[in-house]
Amino acid sequence: SIDHSDEDTAFVGGIVKLGHMIGLEVVAEGVERVEQALRLVDLGCDMAQGYFYSRSSEPTALDRLIGAIEHTAVAAAGQ
């Protein structure tokens, strides 16, 4: 509820700071709305995942996506 609750925002901010203090990169899970993603950026969260970024996918779909990205990168490097 970091997009609605000051208490939750303070709690998450504390976790992010603690993680950074002990040398960790912090990953937020379960991000579903743009407001949550923006709040996490403001809190200094390093990475995030969740439905806001992508729904779950089958491994074969991910293989195709990675292949397409690699193909695009190779083509761009050859120009």
Side-chain angles (χ1 to χ4, degrees):
S1 301
I2 64 170
D3 53 337
H4 301 295
S5 167
D6 291 339
E7 289 177 351
D8 289 348
T9 299
F11 184 75
V12 171
I15 291 171
V16 171
K17 287 179 186 176
L18 178 62
H20 289 161
M21 287 173 53
I22 60 173
L24 298 175
E25 288 186 309
V26 180
V27 180
E29 296 185 358
V31 179
E32 297 181 356
R33 295 180 300 281
V34 67
E35 296 85 5
Q36 293 170 326
L38 293 172
R39 184 66 58 101
L40 289 165
V41 168
D42 289 343
L43 294 172
C45 191
D46 301 297
M47 293 176 266
Q49 64 183 36
Y51 284 162
F52 172 69
Y53 300 101
S54 177
R55 298 283 179 184
S56 299
S57 299
E58 293 295 323
T60 54
L62 293 175
D63 288 341
R64 287 192 303 271
L65 176 62
I66 291 169
I69 292 168
E70 290 172 343
H71 176 76
T72 302
V74 169
Q79 291 183 356

